[in-house]
Amino acid sequence: MQINASFKGFPGHHEPVDLAHIGDQNWHLLKGHLPFPLAVIKASAIAHNLKWMQDFCSSRKLDIAPHGKTTMSPELYKMQIDAGAWGISFATVFQAGLGIRNHVKRIIIANQVFQASDLDALSHLLETHSDVRVFFLVDSLAQLKQIETWRASSSSQQSFSVLVELGIDGKRTGCRDHATAMQLAREIKATQGLLLAGIECYEGALATCHHEHDQAAVAALMQRVQNLALACEKEDLFQCAEVLITAGGSAIFDLVAAHLQPQLSRPARGILRSGCYLTHDHVEYRKMLRCVGERLKLAETLKPALEVISSVQSCPEPGLALLSMGKRDVSYDLDLPVPIWQATIGDAAVSSVPAHWEIKALNDQHAYLYFNPQAPASEHPTVGQIIGSGISHPCTTFDKWRWMPIVNDDYVVTSGISIHF
């Protein structure tokens, strides 16, 4: 795949470069070799996070199928699988197609599949990639009817492996009670072309960072999962050699992990689906992982790997500087970006920003950086200065870019990734 001037963050005067050769260009961000704004991934942090999460899972005899919707990057999927991931999770058939085309062999679509066009696409993917296993979620008889209606008008003979989803009152999808879930499991077994392969839930909506609340809420949800798995086994509803039990967002995955090994008589595999662990962030998930660290009594957990670099383009009045990034470049749905380092073109290293610097607003292409005008002049931002900002919520920064360079701790580009939202 080639990266060229049609990709934001690529130098407009440069000839196209194959992604595999990005690291050969000797690009140094502190020397101004690439235009800003630019989202970058720190190689040292992502290596740490890959190992940390794999160690977390291995020590608990769990697997991970990290959520691929976070990054939509085949290069990052390969890193995760090479580090030991069982598979990759996705939210849609479209996303799963990206994984399959890039050699992902085990996929959980952690969502309901029911539209005829999606069932056509999934059937085609499975028929043309016989070595791929895909599982998707079912949470209602109405969804089963949609699938049966599709099958009646389709020539496909493809069987689908599905997971019953348990849900939480007032939250997202999923069966709200045990009786409904059992009725659905029985109907799945009775439905031609569907194979019940396990149970799924998503606990992320319960996260508050209050330990007692989160522990009790997750324990109750996972007890429902356990009860449903045992009941399905008792009635011989599973149609698989190995039962999948899967949960785990990126906020309280440690609490789920303690309950992901059901006491079944047949083989079962507990699978986490955390996605944001890979690049982590500087605000929302840093807060959540601080709570994880407290519960696990760990001094260190994950490290922020994703930054967006911009330049000071104007200082129009005392106490205000405008940066060259905005809503088109950085996430803002949970929190605004936070300035973390500064440099001037030609510097050998970055330095921390003053504590009084704060981004308080974003426009499409601008960030409003406020600072104390009474502070020493050396603490004032200046036009042309480079500012590195941490982000909150990786998913909604990744979706604003088609590629990102991976950099070392000196901000030299060592490689790159493609992004396919």
Side-chain angles (χ1 to χ4, degrees):
M1 177 179 176
Q2 283 197 329
I3 309 297
N4 56 46
S6 72
F7 287 66
K8 181 173 62 172
F10 186 90
H13 64 284
H14 202 288
E15 62 185 18
V17 177
D18 192 278
L19 188 64
H21 298 300
I22 290 291
D24 301 331
Q25 308 307 306
N26 297 315
W27 286 333
H28 195 315
L29 302 190
L30 300 187
K31 293 182 179 180
H33 291 163
L34 296 181
F36 304 125
L38 183 67
V40 303
I41 296 172
K42 301 288 290 292
S44 59
I46 206 170
H48 167 86
N49 295 345
L50 282 166
K51 184 179 186 304
W52 189 95
M53 183 57 87
Q54 199 59 47
D55 288 347
F56 175 90
C57 292
S58 297
S59 65
R60 291 159 176 80
K61 296 182 171 53
L62 299 176
D63 285 287
I64 187 166
H67 220 315
K69 73 176 176 62
T70 301
T71 67
M72 290 297 285
S73 173
E75 294 77 25
L76 294 181
Y77 301 159
K78 185 177 187 304
M79 286 186 196
Q80 291 172 303
I81 290 172
D82 287 349
W86 173 87
I88 302 290
S89 297
F90 294 99
T92 67
V93 174
F94 164 75
Q95 294 173 2
L98 175 68
I100 291 172
R101 290 191 298 274
N102 287 278
H103 315 297
V104 178
K105 301 302 184 186
R106 300 188 190 101
I107 288 172
I108 297 173
I109 300 178
N111 211 348
Q112 282 68 39
V113 178
F114 62 95
Q115 297 182 76
S117 57
D118 280 340
L119 292 164
D120 283 335
L122 181 57
S123 178
H124 175 73
L125 286 168
L126 291 171
E127 288 167 1
T128 54
H129 298 83
S130 59
D131 57 341
V132 170
R133 292 292 309 278
V134 175
F135 306 83
F136 67 82
L137 309 188
V138 177
D139 76 344
S140 70
L141 297 178
Q143 182 188 354
L144 290 190
K145 185 173 182 180
Q146 292 282 321
I147 296 171
E148 288 182 298
T149 299
W150 165 80
R151 190 173 294 282
S153 61
S154 171
S155 60
S156 174
Q157 300 300 310
Q158 184 65 50
S159 293
F160 298 127
S161 296
V162 300
L163 312 174
V164 170
E165 181 177 28
L166 283 181
I168 303 166
D169 287 346
K171 304 299 180 182
R172 269 179 7 191
T173 51
C175 299
R176 284 345 194 213
D177 58 70
H178 182 84
T180 301
M182 282 302 297
Q183 180 186 15
L184 180 60
R186 296 180 188 112
E187 288 298 323
I188 289 170
K189 185 170 184 181
T191 300
Q192 180 184 359
L194 292 184
L195 304 171
L196 182 60
I199 313 295
E200 184 274 352
C201 71
Y202 171 67
E203 82 298 335
L206 300 171
T208 66
C209 236
H210 295 291
H211 296 321
E212 289 186 6
H213 169 274
D214 292 356
Q215 289 167 339
V218 169
L221 175 62
M222 297 310 294
Q223 185 62 56
R224 291 174 56 204
V225 171
Q226 169 81 4
N227 293 343
L228 181 60
L230 289 170
C232 287
E233 181 177 58
K234 183 176 181 180
E235 293 191 23
D236 194 28
L237 299 180
F238 291 121
Q239 299 162 278
C240 54
E242 178 182 66
V243 176
L244 303 188
I245 306 296
T246 175
S250 298
I252 48 176
F253 58 85
D254 61 309
L255 298 180
V256 166
H259 304 275
L260 265 185
Q261 290 286 7
Q263 304 305 308
L264 301 179
S265 59
R266 66 174 64 207
R269 185 180 298 270
I271 302 175
L272 287 175
R273 299 195 311 278
S274 312
C276 293
Y277 80 89
L278 184 61
T279 61
H280 197 42
D281 72 16
H282 285 80
V283 188
E284 175 66 14
Y285 288 108
R286 172 177 272 185
K287 176 185 71 175
M288 290 297 179
L289 265 291
R290 191 176 297 119
C291 294
V292 171
E294 290 173 2
R295 289 191 291 266
L296 299 179
K297 296 179 172 54
L298 296 176
E300 182 178 67
T301 57
L302 300 173
K303 296 182 178 181
L306 180 57
E307 299 173 0
V308 177
I309 305 173
S310 61
S311 295
V312 179
Q313 69 180 67
S314 179
C315 299
E317 62 187 65
L320 175 63
L322 278 301
L323 308 184
S324 62
M325 70 173 181
K327 294 180 179 179
R328 304 288 181 91
D329 312 301
V330 66
S331 53
Y332 56 91
D333 53 321
L334 297 182
D335 304 277
L336 293 177
V338 291
I340 54 176
W341 60 260
Q342 58 180 318
T344 300
I345 293 292
D347 284 351
V350 303
S351 58
S352 299
V353 303
H356 54 87
W357 288 18
E358 182 181 3
I359 294 172
K360 294 186 177 182
L362 295 176
N363 294 151
D364 280 0
Q365 309 288 173
H366 299 89
Y368 291 71
L369 173 64
Y370 287 86
F371 61 95
N372 180 5
Q374 306 305 317
S378 61
E379 295 186 3
H380 293 199
T382 58
V383 172
Q385 195 171 27
I386 310 170
I387 308 298
S389 294
I391 63 99
S392 184
H393 197 194
C395 303
T396 48
T397 292
F398 272 101
D399 67 5
K400 294 169 175 57
W401 297 86
R402 295 167 61 203
W403 83 292
M404 289 182 190
I406 296 178
V407 300
N408 65 18
D409 288 346
D410 295 322
Y411 291 91
V412 175
V413 176
T414 59
S415 61
I417 64 164
S418 61
I419 302 168
H420 302 264
F421 279 92

